[in-house]
mmCIF file of all heavy atoms in Angstrom:
data_model
loop_
_atom_site.group_PDB
_atom_site.id
_atom_site.type_symbol
_atom_site.label_atom_id
_atom_site.label_comp_id
_atom_site.label_asym_id
_atom_site.label_seq_id
_atom_site.Cartn_x
_atom_site.Cartn_y
_atom_site.Cartn_z
ATOM 1 N N GLY T 129 -11.639 16.316 5.949
ATOM 2 C CA GLY T 129 -11.638 15.259 6.951
ATOM 3 C C GLY T 129 -12.920 14.458 7.070
ATOM 4 O O GLY T 129 -13.065 13.579 7.922
ATOM 5 N N TRP T 134 -16.796 5.566 0.242
ATOM 6 C CA TRP T 134 -15.569 5.012 -0.427
ATOM 7 C C TRP T 134 -15.931 3.878 -1.369
ATOM 8 O O TRP T 134 -15.395 3.704 -2.410
ATOM 9 C CB TRP T 134 -14.545 4.542 0.609
ATOM 10 C CG TRP T 134 -14.102 5.621 1.591
ATOM 11 C CD1 TRP T 134 -13.589 6.848 1.245
ATOM 12 C CD2 TRP T 134 -14.146 5.562 2.994
ATOM 13 N NE1 TRP T 134 -13.304 7.521 2.410
ATOM 14 C CE2 TRP T 134 -13.568 6.740 3.459
ATOM 15 C CE3 TRP T 134 -14.545 4.578 3.929
ATOM 16 C CZ2 TRP T 134 -13.462 7.022 4.837
ATOM 17 C CZ3 TRP T 134 -14.407 4.803 5.282
ATOM 18 C CH2 TRP T 134 -13.902 6.032 5.715
ATOM 19 N N GLY T 149 -9.747 11.388 1.644
ATOM 20 C CA GLY T 149 -11.035 11.977 2.142
ATOM 21 C C GLY T 149 -11.517 11.268 3.382
ATOM 22 O O GLY T 149 -12.131 10.238 3.316
ATOM 23 N N GLY T 150 -11.198 11.870 4.527
ATOM 24 C CA GLY T 150 -11.758 11.362 5.801
ATOM 25 C C GLY T 150 -11.046 10.136 6.315
ATOM 26 O O GLY T 150 -11.611 9.451 7.188
ATOM 27 N N LEU T 151 -9.911 9.802 5.763
ATOM 28 C CA LEU T 151 -9.179 8.630 6.281
ATOM 29 C C LEU T 151 -8.481 9.014 7.655
ATOM 30 O O LEU T 151 -8.159 10.128 7.870
ATOM 31 C CB LEU T 151 -8.142 8.202 5.260
ATOM 32 C CG LEU T 151 -8.614 7.870 3.869
ATOM 33 C CD1 LEU T 151 -7.487 7.341 2.990
ATOM 34 C CD2 LEU T 151 -9.786 6.868 3.938
ATOM 35 N N ALA T 152 -8.328 7.934 8.457
ATOM 36 C CA ALA T 152 -7.731 8.152 9.807
ATOM 37 C C ALA T 152 -7.192 6.777 10.207
ATOM 38 O O ALA T 152 -7.502 5.749 9.585
ATOM 39 C CB ALA T 152 -8.784 8.628 10.775
ATOM 40 N N PRO T 153 -6.372 6.738 11.276
ATOM 41 C CA PRO T 153 -5.842 5.410 11.686
ATOM 42 C C PRO T 153 -6.939 4.364 11.928
ATOM 43 O O PRO T 153 -6.752 3.242 11.642
ATOM 44 C CB PRO T 153 -5.042 5.761 12.959
ATOM 45 C CG PRO T 153 -4.645 7.197 12.847
ATOM 46 C CD PRO T 153 -5.796 7.812 12.070
ATOM 47 N N GLY T 154 -8.006 4.845 12.530
ATOM 48 C CA GLY T 154 -9.065 3.934 12.917
ATOM 49 C C GLY T 154 -9.987 3.474 11.792
ATOM 50 O O GLY T 154 -10.848 2.523 12.032
ATOM 51 N N ASN T 155 -9.959 4.094 10.629
ATOM 52 C CA ASN T 155 -10.868 3.666 9.568
ATOM 53 C C ASN T 155 -10.203 3.326 8.237
ATOM 54 O O ASN T 155 -10.860 2.948 7.238
ATOM 55 C CB ASN T 155 -11.996 4.734 9.301
ATOM 56 C CG ASN T 155 -11.431 5.999 8.715
ATOM 57 O OD1 ASN T 155 -10.322 6.029 8.207
ATOM 58 N ND2 ASN T 155 -12.174 7.118 8.773
ATOM 59 N N VAL T 156 -8.883 3.428 8.188
ATOM 60 C CA VAL T 156 -8.238 3.222 6.927
ATOM 61 C C VAL T 156 -8.393 1.760 6.423
ATOM 62 O O VAL T 156 -8.545 1.526 5.226
ATOM 63 C CB VAL T 156 -6.707 3.678 6.924
ATOM 64 C CG1 VAL T 156 -5.902 2.820 7.904
ATOM 65 C CG2 VAL T 156 -6.100 3.616 5.532
ATOM 66 N N ALA T 157 -8.440 0.819 7.357
ATOM 67 C CA ALA T 157 -8.674 -0.584 6.951
ATOM 68 C C ALA T 157 -10.025 -0.736 6.298
ATOM 69 O O ALA T 157 -10.145 -1.368 5.217
ATOM 70 C CB ALA T 157 -8.495 -1.512 8.099
ATOM 71 N N ALA T 159 -11.778 1.615 4.857
ATOM 72 C CA ALA T 159 -11.811 2.377 3.555
ATOM 73 C C ALA T 159 -11.153 1.583 2.475
ATOM 74 O O ALA T 159 -11.665 1.456 1.349
ATOM 75 C CB ALA T 159 -11.125 3.702 3.744
ATOM 76 N N ASP T 169 -4.122 8.462 0.994
ATOM 77 C CA ASP T 169 -3.608 9.820 1.246
ATOM 78 C C ASP T 169 -4.410 10.421 2.389
ATOM 79 O O ASP T 169 -5.665 10.377 2.396
ATOM 80 C CB ASP T 169 -3.868 10.609 -0.048
ATOM 81 C CG ASP T 169 -3.347 12.037 -0.008
ATOM 82 O OD1 ASP T 169 -2.577 12.387 0.876
ATOM 83 O OD2 ASP T 169 -3.749 12.802 -0.911
ATOM 84 N N VAL T 170 -3.724 10.979 3.361
ATOM 85 C CA VAL T 170 -4.419 11.466 4.566
ATOM 86 C C VAL T 170 -3.839 12.869 4.964
ATOM 87 O O VAL T 170 -2.683 13.160 4.786
ATOM 88 C CB VAL T 170 -4.250 10.513 5.742
ATOM 89 C CG1 VAL T 170 -2.773 10.407 6.196
ATOM 90 C CG2 VAL T 170 -5.105 10.897 6.964
ATOM 91 N N SER T 172 -6.307 15.457 7.368
ATOM 92 C CA SER T 172 -7.007 15.785 8.626
ATOM 93 C C SER T 172 -6.920 14.665 9.656
ATOM 94 O O SER T 172 -6.896 14.905 10.864
ATOM 95 C CB SER T 172 -8.516 16.048 8.360
ATOM 96 O OG SER T 172 -8.665 16.998 7.396
ATOM 97 N N GLY T 173 -6.904 13.423 9.217
ATOM 98 C CA GLY T 173 -6.965 12.292 10.118
ATOM 99 C C GLY T 173 -5.687 12.064 10.935
ATOM 100 O O GLY T 173 -5.668 11.215 11.844
ATOM 101 N N VAL T 174 -4.663 12.831 10.619
ATOM 102 C CA VAL T 174 -3.428 12.782 11.466
ATOM 103 C C VAL T 174 -3.158 14.111 12.075
ATOM 104 O O VAL T 174 -2.041 14.545 12.346
ATOM 105 C CB VAL T 174 -2.225 12.258 10.617
ATOM 106 C CG1 VAL T 174 -2.397 10.816 10.266
ATOM 107 C CG2 VAL T 174 -1.989 13.103 9.369
ATOM 108 N N LEU T 185 -0.219 10.247 15.699
ATOM 109 C CA LEU T 185 -1.285 9.889 14.770
ATOM 110 C C LEU T 185 -0.629 9.558 13.387
ATOM 111 O O LEU T 185 -1.113 8.619 12.686
ATOM 112 C CB LEU T 185 -2.303 11.038 14.571
ATOM 113 C CG LEU T 185 -3.232 11.254 15.757
ATOM 114 C CD1 LEU T 185 -4.043 12.495 15.599
ATOM 115 C CD2 LEU T 185 -4.125 10.053 15.904
ATOM 116 N N SER T 188 0.640 6.050 13.741
ATOM 117 C CA SER T 188 -0.460 5.104 13.826
ATOM 118 C C SER T 188 -1.060 4.900 12.438
ATOM 119 O O SER T 188 -1.434 3.732 12.084
ATOM 120 C CB SER T 188 -1.610 5.635 14.735
ATOM 121 O OG SER T 188 -1.173 5.749 16.060
ATOM 122 N N PHE T 189 -1.212 6.010 11.680
ATOM 123 C CA PHE T 189 -1.793 5.830 10.363
ATOM 124 C C PHE T 189 -0.907 4.966 9.453
ATOM 125 O O PHE T 189 -1.338 4.028 8.798
ATOM 126 C CB PHE T 189 -1.987 7.227 9.663
ATOM 127 C CG PHE T 189 -2.770 7.078 8.380
ATOM 128 C CD1 PHE T 189 -4.139 7.088 8.354
ATOM 129 C CD2 PHE T 189 -2.083 6.938 7.169
ATOM 130 C CE1 PHE T 189 -4.841 6.973 7.163
ATOM 131 C CE2 PHE T 189 -2.719 6.831 5.946
ATOM 132 C CZ PHE T 189 -4.132 6.827 5.977
ATOM 133 N N ALA T 192 -1.163 1.351 10.461
ATOM 134 C CA ALA T 192 -2.456 0.738 10.104
ATOM 135 C C ALA T 192 -2.551 0.561 8.583
ATOM 136 O O ALA T 192 -3.058 -0.454 8.132
ATOM 137 C CB ALA T 192 -3.573 1.698 10.521
ATOM 138 N N ALA T 193 -2.033 1.485 7.812
ATOM 139 C CA ALA T 193 -2.125 1.386 6.360
ATOM 140 C C ALA T 193 -1.116 0.424 5.727
ATOM 141 O O ALA T 193 -1.409 -0.238 4.732
ATOM 142 C CB ALA T 193 -1.917 2.797 5.731
#
Side-chain angles (χ1 to χ4, degrees):
W134 303 306
L151 304 182
N155 67 17
V156 64
D169 182 14
V170 65
S172 307
V174 292
L185 288 171
S188 296
F189 187 86

